[in-house]
Amino acid sequence: MRSKIRNLIDNSNSILLLTHQNPDGDAIGSVLGMYHYLLSINKSVDMVILDIPKVFNFLPSIDRIVDTTDKEYDLGIVVDCANRERISQKEDLLSRCKNTICIDHHISNTKYCDVNYIEGSISSCSQVIYYLLKDFGVSFNKEMGESLISGVLTDTNGFAINTVDSQTFNMAAEINDLGIDIHALYDKLLCKKTMSQYKLMQIGMDRLEFLCDGKIAFTYILKEDFDKVCAVLGEHEGIVDISRNIEGVEVSIFIREDDGWTVSLRSTGVVDVSKVANAIGGGGHVMAAGGKLSGTLEETKERIINETKKVMLLK
Ligand code: 5GP
Ligand code: MN
């Protein structure tokens, strides 16, 4: 499989990189990591991702990412995206690529490319890419290191989830030795909050409810809240994690109004929230999952709480 990927890359000149909608740090870090690798072997590379949260603006070459393309490509590589429908794009770009590769870490991946390299037990797609490139014998430059470790930091919430393994720490050590300041990245990506992010968090915390003897925490943010505190795309990040960390909570549910409702689920590891996400047509991992719902606030709240209770075998 790894040599197949290597051959496809070697035999392609023009390459398009894609990832999932509502891109997070792992999606963007994976794309940028691949981008810097492909540039280092003199490929012609385009990256298409929509709606990038501004917290990632400092990452190397993020300004090269575009909204769309009308070109055709020898190869399309989709990273960190479980299914074709979830690709961040305005129109179907994968069909403009002669060959396609998917590199991912979602067990639920639907294997929608010609070659599908899926490592379902690894905590971030950035880690999957790091070890794939290492297997190719790549010598990593700072741009590749900074991009990929940013993906690891964000998808593992700072090495805090239970799928972090010795390979994750080895990768971090090796990237540290490239001269990348991982502490500074941790601070920028996971600690620092903008004032509007803080205010949004305050609204979310004011509405926090505990259900089922405090095992489930639920809160929500409306579109109008974003306007009220002048928040921009992505500034809701972190709300779902605060309630997950409260004593007694096993599942934290956060829903955000957009063109319907975007659902974020987090667990302490006791409950597999990917099962809840699957029940609503979404996906994810044991400790972090999500999906989409439509309906009124009340309907959506009832539906997601009921699906969670079913998985937790609660009445
Ligand atoms: P978040 O709550 O950070 O938006 O998403 C957590 C995780 O859930 C993501 O890393 C992703 O794996 C998964 N996820 C979120 N939304 C969806 C969705 O609509 N479909 C699928 N398949 N997975 C999702
Ligand atoms: Mn990921």
Side-chain angles (χ1 to χ4, degrees):
M1 173 80 77
R2 291 180 176 207
S3 56
K4 237 189 211 172
I5 296 177
R6 184 71 205 252
N7 285 339
L8 273 175
I9 291 175
D10 284 348
N11 295 320
S12 304
N13 286 318
S14 58
I15 302 177
L16 174 65
L17 293 171
L18 300 166
T19 187
H20 66 76
Q21 294 163 358
N22 294 322
D24 54 16
D26 191 30
I28 294 167
S30 295
V31 165
L32 291 175
M34 281 304 288
Y35 175 77
H36 287 289
Y37 159 62
L38 295 168
L39 280 194
S40 76
I41 54 168
N42 302 313
K43 301 294 175 185
S44 158
V45 196
D46 285 339
M47 303 178 277
V48 171
I49 314 178
L50 306 173
D51 305 326
I52 298 176
K54 68 175 184 185
V55 62
F56 302 116
N57 279 354
F58 70 92
L59 287 173
S61 301
I62 196 155
D63 56 330
R64 308 301 300 271
I65 297 175
V66 293
D67 265 9
T68 195
T69 170
D70 48 21
K71 288 192 236 162
E72 309 244 315
Y73 297 87
D74 297 330
L75 180 63
I77 304 178
V78 194
V79 293
D80 196 36
C81 184
N83 55 67
R84 193 173 178 141
E85 297 68 43
R86 237 193 135 217
I87 296 176
S88 177
Q89 57 187 358
K90 291 180 189 160
E91 53 190 314
D92 181 13
L93 299 179
L94 214 49
S95 57
R96 300 225 202 105
C97 305
K98 275 192 216 111
N99 294 295
T100 58
I101 297 173
C102 178
I103 305 171
D104 190 19
H105 71 130
H106 292 92
I107 311 172
S108 58
N109 189 290
T110 58
K111 304 198 166 115
Y112 52 92
C113 287
D114 302 326
V115 176
N116 300 283
Y117 184 65
I118 319 300
E119 295 241 36
S121 59
I122 305 297
S123 53
S124 64
C125 186
S126 296
Q127 181 176 331
V128 176
I129 292 172
Y130 183 78
Y131 284 100
L132 176 71
L133 299 186
K134 222 173 134 83
D135 190 68
F136 291 173
V138 169
S139 64
F140 290 85
N141 59 33
K142 280 193 168 190
E143 288 79 12
M144 290 158 68
E146 186 172 6
S147 304
L148 294 173
I149 202 65
S150 295
V152 170
L153 280 167
T154 50
D155 244 28
T156 64
N157 204 8
F159 305 104
I161 65 165
N162 61 2
T163 44
V164 165
D165 56 14
S166 56
Q167 298 251 62
T168 320
F169 291 115
N170 288 336
M171 170 181 174
E174 287 164 11
I175 288 176
N176 178 73
D177 291 346
L178 291 175
I180 300 296
D181 186 345
I182 296 178
H183 167 259
L185 288 174
Y186 178 90
D187 198 51
K188 278 189 207 168
L189 292 166
L190 294 160
C191 299
K192 278 282 170 289
K193 306 277 176 264
T194 60
M195 199 44 90
S196 37
Q197 205 172 0
Y198 161 70
K199 287 178 183 161
L200 216 49
M201 212 171 263
Q202 205 171 25
I203 296 172
M205 289 305 101
D206 276 348
R207 292 182 185 145
L208 190 61
E209 278 179 63
F210 298 98
L211 304 122
C212 301
D213 297 326
K215 290 193 171 87
I216 300 176
F218 172 87
T219 192
Y220 64 94
I221 291 288
L222 303 171
K223 262 186 194 164
E224 63 185 45
D225 301 323
F226 272 82
D227 300 337
K228 214 184 297 168
V229 302
C230 302
V232 294
L233 201 75
E235 290 195 310
H236 63 280
E237 292 290 348
I239 296 177
V240 70
D241 300 291
I242 303 177
S243 22
R244 199 278 309 257
N245 290 334
I246 298 170
E247 186 178 25
V249 172
E250 291 179 3
V251 174
S252 162
I253 307 170
F254 169 64
I255 64 171
R256 170 172 61 92
E257 185 186 25
D258 43 29
D259 44 338
W261 295 91
T262 296
V263 178
S264 278
L265 300 157
R266 295 291 183 274
S267 95
T268 52
V270 177
V271 180
D272 179 355
V273 285
S274 73
K275 291 185 181 163
V276 182
N278 288 338
I280 61 162
H285 314 277
V286 174
M287 293 177 74
K292 287 260 184 197
L293 281 174
S294 53
T296 63
L297 171 62
E298 282 311 314
E299 286 162 356
T300 308
K301 175 180 171 185
E302 196 184 327
R303 170 89 201 274
I304 193 64
I305 289 171
N306 283 338
E307 296 295 354
T308 305
K309 282 189 193 170
K310 273 192 229 162
V311 171
M312 294 173 79
L313 306 174
L314 296 170
K315 291 249 162 77

